[in-house]
Amino acid sequence: MDYIHHYASPLGGITLASDGSALTGLWFDGQKYFAAALSPDSEEKMLPVFADADRWLDRYFTGSIPDFTPPLNPRGTPFRLLVWETLLTVPFGQTVTYGQLAQRLALRTGRPVSARAVGNAVGHNPVSLIIPCHRVIGADGSLTGYAGGLERKTRLLQLERQNP
């Protein structure tokens, strides 16, 4: 059973999803791939993991670095899970390129990883913000795609740079 919860952020509504004990999703309402892995018969219910996520989001949107991570259980292929796990190592207020992520993954796996494959996995991240896909930029420093929209990506990076 999937459960959902809504959070009102300064950048628009957010829908969170859980399997009952961990977050499986966090999307800006209406973003690309919105609730892609969410069961159609999900139930709205307040859970402890949603209370944790709300506290994390409250800290984040007030410019504080959250000092904890709610339990996470994103759904994806083994490769995507590895990419999302690697994204969790990108520090607050910093950015990384798709190519740099590919290099990190190649070191971890011992085999070549393409930046394009990394970009696909980043783009399908089901737990936005907490798994910080907004911190990934193009090789030339450009703000490339973000499922939540480039305007939100810009504002998220500005928020983090103002409050290191």
Side-chain angles (χ1 to χ4, degrees):
M1 171 63 96
D2 286 330
Y3 300 94
I4 60 171
H5 169 68
H6 299 282
Y7 179 88
S9 89
L11 300 181
I14 290 176
T15 297
L16 298 103
S18 173
D19 58 11
S21 58
L23 285 181
T24 57
L26 187 160
W27 307 272
F28 283 103
D29 292 345
Q31 81 174 47
K32 191 173 185 181
Y33 309 120
F34 176 78
L38 190 59
S39 168
D41 62 343
S42 58
E43 176 185 327
E44 191 157 349
K45 181 177 181 180
M46 190 58 178
L47 301 170
V49 69
F50 291 143
D52 288 345
D54 284 357
R55 280 188 309 111
W56 191 98
L57 291 165
D58 287 346
R59 287 188 60 86
Y60 181 86
F61 283 115
T62 58
S64 299
I65 300 172
D67 57 357
F68 68 98
T69 301
L72 302 175
N73 188 21
R75 298 169 182 156
T77 66
F79 178 75
R80 285 181 178 179
L81 292 171
L82 186 60
V83 171
W84 301 334
E85 180 183 311
T86 304
L87 280 174
L88 287 167
T89 68
V90 179
F92 186 95
Q94 295 183 28
T95 57
V96 64
T97 68
Y98 295 97
Q100 289 169 329
L101 280 176
Q103 289 172 350
R104 290 181 191 180
L105 288 161
L107 288 173
R108 286 184 68 182
T109 64
R111 58 181 209 269
V113 176
S114 79
R116 183 172 293 212
V118 168
N120 183 279
V122 168
H124 286 84
N125 170 21
V127 186
S128 293
L129 295 177
I130 295 174
I131 299 177
C133 53
H134 62 281
R135 296 182 189 148
V136 184
I137 59 174
D140 62 358
S142 62
L143 298 185
T144 58
Y146 178 61
L150 287 180
E151 182 179 324
R152 279 195 186 112
K153 182 173 187 165
T154 301
R155 292 185 58 198
L156 293 170
L157 292 173
Q158 287 171 343
L159 171 78
E160 291 185 15
R161 288 186 182 127
Q162 291 171 0
N163 303 290

